[in-house]
Structures are given as C-alpha cells and as structure tokens.
Amino acid sequence: MNIGIRFATWWLVALMAANEVIAARPIVIAHRGASAYLPEHTLLAVTAAHTLRADYIEQDVVLTRDGVPIVLHDIHLQTTTDVATRFPDRARADGHWYAIDFDLEEIRQLSVTERRNDAGTPVFSARFPQANLGLRVPTLAEEIELIQGLNQTREHSAGLYIEFKAPQFHAAAGFDIAKSVLAVLDRYGLNTPESPVFLQCFDPDTLKRLSAERATPLPLIQLIGEASWDPEDSTDYEWMLTPEGLAKIADYAEGIGPWIPQLFNKDLTPNHVAATAHELGMLVHPYTLRQDALALPVADFNALQSLLFDEAKVDGAFSDFPDLTRDFIDQHLATTHAESEEPSP
C-alpha cells in the first residue's frame, strides 16, 4: 500500500476514535514549523514542531526555475539564506534573489539561517543565533516524507497546512503553483477527502478556480491580509471582512485565515468577523501567535491566547510557539472539563 494512503487511513481511524476530543479542541498550527526555536521551514523546525505536538505544520510553497515545489516563505531567498554570498551576481535589478531564478540543484547549495531584514539584522533578536549549520531549503516532498515518518514513529500525528505563495507571480513565469502542489499531494496519496491537509492562499481567484474545477477535495482557507502590506496586491481584504465579503468566501472556501487584529475592536472585544464566519459554517484560523511580538496590546502571551480561544472562539491558530499554544489549549480544556463535571447546586 502507498505510504501516503496508509498515512491517510491511519489518520482517519484516529480521527474517528477521538472525534469528540478533536471537535472540542482548537488546532495548533506550527507557523513555518517551530519557528520560535529554530530557523523557519527547515526540517529541524518541522521535527521540533512535531515533537511539540502541533496538530498541523505549515508549508509555504514557492517554485524553483525547474518547477519543483520548495518550502520557503518568500518568493525571494536573501532574507533566510546565504544566496547573496554564494551567488552574488544573480540578484535582479530590484536587489532581490528570486527562488524562481534558481533550479533545485542550486537551491540545495544554500544554507538557511534565522530570518534577517534587508539590513541584515535578525528580525527576532532573541531567537536562534545567526549560525551556518548547513540547514537546507527543503522540497515539499521532503517535508511530507519527514512528517509521515514522524507520524509513524511517534505517538502523535500532525497534518499539513500548505500555502500557495504568489500564484499570479508564478503564472507570469509560466507556472501553475496550485497544480504543481496538487501533483505532489497526488503522488503521496494526500489529495483525498480523508487527508489531514489544508490548502490556503491570499489570492481568491486561485481558490475560486480550485473550487469551481473541483480540483481537490481538501478544505480551502482564504487568507486575509492588509492592503498596506503589498501595494501591488489589488485584493480588497477590507471588503472580505464584511458580512457580504465573508458570505462570498463561504461559496468557495471552508474557512478564513485572518490576521489576529482583524478579529477585534479597538477595545479588544471580538468584532463580528469570527461569529459571522461561524454562522456561515466556516472555520477561523488566525495568524500569528508570537510570545516575542504580541499582535495586540495585551499583558502577556496567555492574555492574547485567551482573547482568541475564549473570547473570539477561533477554531485554531498559527503559532511560532506551538508548545505554549498546545499547553494553553490543553490546560484550558482540562479546566473546562473539570468545571462541567461539578455537580449542580
């Protein structure tokens, strides 16, 4: 039996056996792996996320020049690799080294480090040191095989949460990134209704096409950003957050991935977004929980998590600290369960 099919079958059995627990517990999505502790999207960060009991592990996917899906958050390479040192003459006129300008053999020569800004300064100064440990940019296939292997050898199972990065950018270069990703999932038997896989994208046209073409039975998640983040992005995210916009998303997607501040009013009370999405039958998976960069003006990390899980009642969240989010959810459920068993007065 194909290993991907075995994995999907095992997950379905486990899901059915623990249905009540899973239904009651929000999921923990390891954001780019355990990125608070190790350089993002490396196989080490994936392994750590699995060990820290994340329910799902995120893969941001871009393509190489030879069309191979690799796991990398940006369409360019210089913020997390040593590409500027190894290939100093390969930057475009805008100063960026784009992954799509390199074939897989060249990508494999790069060493991955902690994220830096354009000035070369670590984005998170207290995170993993800027050391060259020979960490590599993995392919999507390699991450799948690693997670499948860990699911087999550990008493824990994690799914995949895949983002199609910049579909229009890839289309301009002659590639269909969604088709390329689905081909890999097909190869591992993971493009099935039972597979523990979510597919996410900021581009609504890509998700609408996948839905209309019935290209996949996997749940689709509409990511919602801010217009100020990318002047070239013409998506009307503000409209998406309205009741009308959310209703349109529900026509083609099973859920939304909003930025955490988009779920709250200025006084930190939940706005209508999560409640409306739930009324429409959609999941709500906001991003990103960071203990070292709180998304809202709250006292601490647990206060932020309480706002999401207790007040907005989200169905899961992306976290750089999957262990802390796992502990919060499990402790909260234990407390809730104990309170529910107390006898009535």
Side-chain angles (χ1 to χ4, degrees):
M1 183 185 295
N2 179 282
I3 188 171
I5 296 175
R6 289 204 309 270
F7 171 51
T9 302
W10 182 93
W11 176 268
L12 179 61
V13 171
L15 182 64
M16 293 173 64
N19 184 59
E20 292 186 5
V21 174
I22 291 176
R25 185 180 74 179
I27 63 171
V28 177
I29 308 157
H31 184 242
R32 311 180 199 173
S35 56
Y37 307 117
L38 288 159
E40 65 185 51
H41 282 320
T42 59
L43 295 183
L44 277 183
V46 171
T47 303
H50 200 286
T51 303
L52 297 176
R53 298 179 297 129
D55 296 303
Y56 286 82
I57 301 172
E58 184 191 32
Q59 295 79 35
D60 293 311
V61 177
V62 303
L63 300 181
T64 64
R65 181 168 57 187
D66 42 350
V68 179
I70 58 174
V71 183
L72 185 74
H73 178 263
D74 305 310
I75 57 175
H76 45 75
L77 294 156
Q78 72 274 3
T79 52
T80 56
T81 78
D82 60 349
V83 66
T85 300
R86 291 189 178 270
F87 298 99
D89 301 325
R90 297 278 292 278
R92 293 191 185 183
D94 62 5
H96 294 305
W97 283 257
Y98 287 83
I100 207 164
D101 293 336
F102 296 79
D103 58 35
L104 181 60
E105 182 179 356
E106 292 171 323
I107 295 288
R108 291 195 187 282
Q109 298 176 39
L110 305 179
S111 181
V112 177
T113 63
E114 184 64 33
R115 175 169 290 275
R116 305 175 302 275
N117 59 27
D118 288 340
T121 304
V123 173
F124 299 98
S125 60
R127 292 194 181 183
F128 202 86
Q130 293 293 323
N132 186 340
L133 301 179
L135 302 177
R136 305 302 179 198
V137 177
T139 65
L140 176 60
E142 288 168 343
E143 281 217 8
I144 289 173
E145 292 187 10
L146 175 60
I147 292 170
Q148 288 180 335
L150 291 169
N151 286 343
Q152 180 172 318
T153 58
R154 301 189 66 248
E155 293 184 358
H156 177 73
S157 185
L160 310 169
Y161 210 119
I162 301 171
E163 180 181 348
F164 308 123
K165 300 294 293 189
Q168 295 181 27
F169 169 84
H170 284 94
F175 293 102
D176 184 334
I177 188 169
K179 184 178 180 180
S180 297
V181 168
L182 291 178
V184 175
L185 293 177
D186 283 330
R187 191 160 76 242
Y188 287 92
L190 292 173
N191 191 21
T192 69
E194 301 83 12
S195 298
V197 181
F198 285 95
L199 300 174
Q200 58 177 336
C201 192
F202 282 100
D203 179 40
D205 291 338
T206 296
L207 298 180
K208 289 176 184 178
R209 174 170 62 86
L210 292 177
S211 177
E213 295 177 355
R214 299 182 183 275
T216 178
L218 299 171
L220 305 177
I221 304 296
Q222 174 66 62
L223 290 169
I224 303 177
E226 291 277 311
S228 60
W229 294 348
D230 183 0
E232 297 182 5
D233 186 351
S234 61
T235 305
D236 190 348
Y237 293 119
E238 187 173 344
W239 176 80
M240 281 186 177
L241 294 166
T242 67
E244 295 78 15
L246 291 167
K248 289 295 184 182
I249 292 173
D251 289 339
Y252 62 85
E254 283 69 42
I256 59 170
W259 182 40
I260 289 173
Q262 293 171 333
L263 297 177
F264 297 93
N265 298 309
K266 290 183 178 180
D267 63 358
L268 299 186
T269 57
N271 59 26
H272 74 93
V273 173
T276 301
H278 285 150
E279 289 171 2
L280 292 165
M282 289 195 292
L283 298 167
V284 181
H285 294 161
Y287 62 90
T288 303
L289 284 166
R290 294 185 172 108
Q291 182 175 236
D292 50 1
L294 299 176
L296 294 173
V298 293
D300 55 32
F301 193 52
N302 278 345
L304 176 60
Q305 296 191 115
S306 182
L307 279 178
L308 284 176
F309 298 115
D310 296 331
E311 302 298 326
K313 301 188 184 306
V314 301
D315 305 287
F318 290 82
S319 180
D320 282 12
F321 297 80
D323 54 333
L324 302 185
T325 303
R326 165 88 294 132
D327 289 345
F328 179 89
I329 290 172
D330 290 351
Q331 291 168 11
H332 175 72
L333 282 177
T335 302
T336 303
H337 181 69
E339 291 174 350
S340 69
E341 289 189 341
E342 291 181 357
S344 302

